[in-house]
Amino acid sequence: MAKLSLQRLGKRFAQTVILKEIDLDIASGEFIVLVGPSGCGKSTLLRILAGLEEADEGQVILDGRSINRLPPRERNMALVFQDYALYPHKTVYDNLAFGLSIRGTQKHEIQQKVHAAADLLQLTGLLQRKPAALSGGQRQRVAIGRALVREAQLFLFDEPLSNLDAKLRTEMRMEIKRLHQRLGKTMIYVTHDQVEAMTLADRIAVINHGRIEQLGTPAEIYQFPATTFVAGFMGAPPMNLLTLPLQWSAGNATAFIAGQALPTHPLENTSEKEITLGIRPEHLRINDSTLNGQPGLLLNAAVELVEPLGSETIATLRLEQPTANLEQYTVQARFPGNQSISNGQNLQVHVAYANLHWFDSNSGIRLTTSQASSAEQVA
Amino acid sequence: MLKLPLRWIAAAVLLINGFFPALWILLTSFKSDIELAQTPITWLPQNPGLSNYIHAFSDQPLLLFLGNSFAVALLSTLLTLFAATGAAYALTRLHLRHRGLILTLLVAVAMFPPATLLVPLFEIMRGLGLINTYGALILPYAVQSLPVCTLVLASFFQQVPKDIENAAMLDGCTRLQALYRIVLPLSAPGVFTASILAFVNSWDEFLLALTLNAAPGSRTLPVGIMLYQGEFTFPWPVISAALVVAIVPLAILIIVFQERVISGLTTGGIKG
């Protein structure tokens, strides 16, 4: 089985640092998603694993053996490319069979494996076609089939769904998840789409500027983001991040929002003047009886924009400040779709103290410690 | 953009300029010496016959010249393709230092007038013992065709998406296998173009052929055709017949290969 360990991996192109001190242990059979914005280095990391790029520093250890110097063909990994990268001069059958025939597999065995993969991916009727005669979804299926046929020990996906339309993307996402459940192979999947990351991953590595900002299960990443970057990147709409002024008295800091004093997470650095407060849009609630008994924050707000989505409504709210000279805060809230909200409406929204996230305004690092141990923090 | 009638006129001028000499040679090859000398000139042969062709084959060993030319052109083309493929691949895919300088030098080599190389080449070939053999022509022809063929192939290799090649290497190919099994087939139009260029270059060459390989048994067509003229006679109709024989294989080659020089071969391999 394929157990992969990345140790202090680094990569630079000329003077630009692409990857920096990447440490990551991937268990056999695990589905890891590398997620991050364009240019964060996630695809480069995948290519280093595949052997298409060389790391400048660090080791890639596969089942206890360093594979840094192994050429791609000896790594027994399969990579599904964003642009499919099918062989345009070969039929679907030959595309699927190529990897086997180049490795000297017997003809009847090739035939058997190609047909098995074609069955699984519903490509049987298309085997004699050339890639040009296939739709985008079919091409991507062939690309996945090519990886499947070879029975690679590790599957790498480089944004495989980003060229498909929304409906097809959802379908293929489910197929990939089913495939993982069925095959139980180690899979590493690169995407900038947080929905793909959340739905597919056993664990997510959020990458930013060539570093892993946070590694954790989808729930950990969502509920306890380690940095403001992760908080802002995962979730749609993203977590509201508000920079609040701090007042110090007798070594205790108090933050202020909408004229209300708010007890903050204990701060070590007594010279801090600001703190960042994070609130998930779904944690802002209107007249919510479930808040009864829970200590929380009560905010007056005016509705600026309403985006009804059917099952839910996204509302942009401007928080009321007691005096006009204070900083104005705008937040996004997610309300149930049956709640009637209209532009210009004045609301009172609650948020439980337990649902507040605190971050250091300078470093962006999470301050609340309640779940910090589960949210492995590298940054 | 030229206006429509102007475009037709321009096309007609180009066509006449290109085809008239060939057409004139073809017509001449069916005329007699006497008819050719007549004034006013006749456009179409009055008594067309194959006698000039029979003479062309009987007066000189034209078949031997054809065979020699074919062997030299084919072997030098293969050698050129082999070297140009490697060079073009290295220039497009490997992270070479001084890539720009190498490209400039390559073009510079192609600019050398062949006459300046004649004496050194003769010395080299004599030193190698290749004078009056195919080798004396194959090597310099390959070198002559190499720059342009490398540039042609490089431009085609560049169009093959890198990820297709990467996919092949992950599928189990070495870099060389990926080149020969994936990149080259996808660059087929470029390979055909380069082949035609190299073949025509070798087929037509006269100066080196005369200097380095003039022995009766290994003469190529351009040198051989020169032998039809006597000290005081120019049997133009027979020479024309020999020329037609020299042109036809080339024309067939180009027509056959032109059909294969189709673009869009890479369609569908990647998104786009």
Side-chain angles (χ1 to χ4, degrees):
Chain A
M1 291 302 277
K3 189 170 165 293
L4 194 69
S5 176
L6 314 185
Q7 296 175 354
R8 302 187 73 75
L9 270 193
K11 175 78 184 170
R12 56 179 72 227
F13 289 133
Q15 296 306 309
T16 318
V17 176
I18 307 295
L19 292 171
K20 204 174 165 191
E21 294 177 7
I22 298 281
D23 283 305
L24 183 60
D25 284 311
I26 298 168
S28 182
E30 196 173 15
F31 199 126
I32 288 276
V33 173
L34 309 176
V35 66
S38 310
C40 73
K42 56 193 189 299
S43 285
T44 307
L45 180 55
L46 204 68
R47 282 166 178 266
I48 289 174
L49 297 184
L52 299 174
E53 300 272 358
E54 256 182 71
D56 295 326
E57 294 153 24
Q59 296 283 325
V60 181
I61 313 275
L62 182 66
D63 292 330
R65 193 165 68 110
S66 170
I67 58 167
N68 279 38
R69 297 253 148 232
L70 276 191
R73 68 178 187 282
E74 287 173 27
R75 297 191 178 202
N76 199 15
M77 296 182 186
L79 174 55
V80 178
F81 292 88
Q82 178 176 6
D83 289 337
Y84 322 133
L86 302 179
Y87 310 125
H89 58 308
K90 293 180 185 289
T91 61
V92 170
Y93 182 94
D94 289 336
N95 263 281
L96 296 176
F98 184 70
L100 293 173
S101 69
I102 203 98
R103 283 160 203 266
T105 312
Q106 295 286 322
K107 230 174 178 172
H108 66 271
E109 197 181 334
I110 293 179
Q111 213 166 14
Q112 190 188 331
K113 285 183 172 169
V114 167
H115 281 111
D119 270 351
L120 188 67
L121 294 165
Q122 297 155 32
L123 291 169
T124 309
L126 308 171
L127 284 175
Q128 293 316 315
R129 288 205 198 164
K130 292 263 178 79
L134 301 178
S135 71
Q138 289 167 337
R139 285 182 205 178
Q140 197 52 277
R141 260 179 242 270
V142 177
I144 293 172
R146 190 166 59 179
L148 218 61
V149 162
R150 280 208 359 246
E151 294 173 2
Q153 56 176 337
L154 203 76
F155 282 70
L156 310 172
F157 295 87
D158 190 3
E159 308 209 21
L161 308 183
S162 57
N163 285 331
L164 305 179
D165 64 45
K167 186 168 172 281
L168 206 54
R169 206 180 308 161
T170 314
E171 282 173 25
M172 287 299 289
R173 201 172 68 209
M174 279 156 52
E175 271 188 49
I176 290 173
K177 185 149 193 165
R178 261 188 225 120
L179 214 58
H180 177 248
Q181 285 171 355
R182 192 169 164 160
L183 302 174
K185 298 265 185 182
T186 313
M187 293 188 177
I188 303 173
Y189 188 106
V190 160
T191 181
H192 62 265
D193 184 325
Q194 42 147 327
V195 180
E196 281 174 30
M198 293 295 284
T199 51
L200 288 171
D202 292 329
R203 281 191 302 159
I204 296 175
V206 184
I207 300 182
N208 188 29
H209 294 310
R211 300 167 61 119
I212 297 182
E213 289 253 340
Q214 188 175 4
L215 175 68
T217 64
E220 283 166 359
I221 298 273
Y222 189 77
Q223 289 166 20
F224 310 105
T227 62
T228 45
F229 172 80
V230 178
F233 192 76
M234 302 299 285
M239 182 183 277
N240 297 296
L241 294 168
L242 312 173
T243 307
L244 307 182
L246 282 177
Q247 265 184 18
W248 289 89
S249 70
N252 288 322
T254 311
F256 285 87
I257 181 166
Q260 300 175 56
L262 199 56
T264 67
H265 178 265
L267 293 174
E268 277 172 24
N269 185 355
T270 53
S271 63
E272 294 285 358
K273 292 193 170 64
E274 288 176 335
I275 194 164
T276 301
L277 170 65
I279 306 170
R280 285 275 179 215
E282 61 272 27
H283 289 147
L284 286 163
R285 293 178 175 174
I286 314 170
N287 305 324
D288 192 339
S289 58
T290 56
L291 268 185
N292 281 348
Q294 270 196 69
L297 192 59
L298 191 65
L299 298 164
N300 291 318
V303 179
E304 276 197 338
L305 193 71
V306 180
E307 297 167 85
L309 296 171
S311 65
E312 59 189 32
T313 301
I314 310 292
T316 304
L317 311 174
R318 179 176 290 275
L319 301 185
E320 277 179 20
Q321 290 283 42
T323 52
N325 60 354
L326 289 174
E327 195 184 335
Q328 297 292 312
Y329 295 113
T330 308
V331 294
Q332 284 193 301
R334 174 185 285 160
F335 299 127
N338 56 9
Q339 216 148 22
S340 79
I341 314 274
S342 54
N343 267 349
Q345 189 182 346
N346 286 311
L347 295 175
Q348 231 181 14
V349 285
H350 298 81
V351 53
Y353 285 143
N355 287 329
L356 298 182
H357 303 255
W358 295 102
F359 300 93
D360 184 305
S361 285
N362 291 319
S363 64
I365 294 174
R366 183 182 188 85
L367 295 169
T368 33
T369 49
S370 57
Q371 294 290 334
S373 55
S374 63
E376 192 180 323
Q377 187 176 304
V378 184
Chain B
M1 205 58 161
L2 290 176
K3 289 204 172 142
L4 206 60
L6 266 178
R7 255 192 274 172
W8 282 108
I9 293 168
V13 167
L14 277 174
L15 262 174
I16 292 167
N17 183 51
F19 274 99
F20 183 74
L23 188 68
W24 191 246
I25 287 171
L26 184 69
L27 292 173
T28 306
S29 74
F30 291 107
K31 292 176 186 173
S32 65
D33 279 330
I34 299 162
E35 187 186 345
L36 196 69
Q38 275 176 0
T39 46
I41 56 166
T42 55
W43 288 97
L44 293 175
Q46 286 164 343
N47 297 305
L50 290 174
S51 67
N52 291 326
Y53 285 86
I54 292 163
H55 273 287
F57 279 96
S58 59
D59 293 359
Q60 295 289 342
L62 188 57
L63 218 52
L64 177 72
F65 300 155
L66 260 176
N68 288 339
S69 267
F70 191 76
V72 167
L74 185 72
L75 291 172
S76 72
T77 301
L78 289 177
L79 187 61
T80 306
L81 280 184
F82 178 74
T85 301
Y89 185 82
L91 283 169
T92 48
R93 284 297 203 255
L94 308 183
H95 302 289
L96 287 186
R97 276 189 183 191
H98 311 304
R99 189 172 160 271
L101 182 69
I102 295 170
L103 274 170
T104 312
L105 286 175
L106 208 58
V107 176
V109 168
M111 304 267 180
F112 274 30
T116 59
L117 300 172
L118 216 51
V119 175
L121 264 178
F122 188 84
E123 285 303 317
I124 292 169
M125 291 306 158
R126 196 168 60 179
L128 292 172
L130 291 175
I131 292 291
N132 289 337
T133 66
Y134 290 166
L137 297 183
I138 291 170
L139 288 175
Y141 287 171
V143 172
Q144 257 180 5
S145 305
L146 192 62
V148 69
C149 289
T150 303
L151 293 178
V152 166
L153 283 177
S155 74
F156 276 86
F157 287 177
Q158 214 136 33
Q159 287 168 32
V160 175
K162 219 169 169 229
D163 274 346
I164 292 186
E165 201 183 329
N166 286 337
M169 289 204 276
L170 277 157
D171 257 348
C173 287
T174 60
R175 200 175 259 285
L176 215 57
Q177 280 174 318
L179 168 61
Y180 281 98
R181 301 193 56 156
I182 303 295
V183 179
L184 264 189
L186 288 179
S187 309
V191 175
F192 291 130
T193 309
S195 307
I196 288 174
L197 289 171
F199 196 92
V200 172
N201 185 39
S202 304
W203 189 265
D204 288 351
E205 205 283 333
F206 174 73
L207 191 61
L208 292 183
L210 180 67
T211 316
L212 304 176
N213 181 27
S218 56
R219 274 181 196 131
T220 53
L221 269 171
V223 179
I225 288 172
M226 198 187 63
L227 299 175
Y228 285 94
Q229 71 186 61
E231 198 175 351
F232 304 108
T233 56
F234 281 91
W236 286 119
V238 178
I239 291 177
S240 295
L243 281 173
V244 170
V245 172
I247 292 168
V248 164
L250 208 58
I252 291 173
L253 189 84
I254 289 173
I255 290 165
V256 167
F257 274 60
Q258 201 175 28
E259 289 208 338
R260 310 217 111 169
V261 182
I262 38 168
S263 56
L265 210 66
T266 55
T267 322
I270 62 158
K271 201 249 170 188

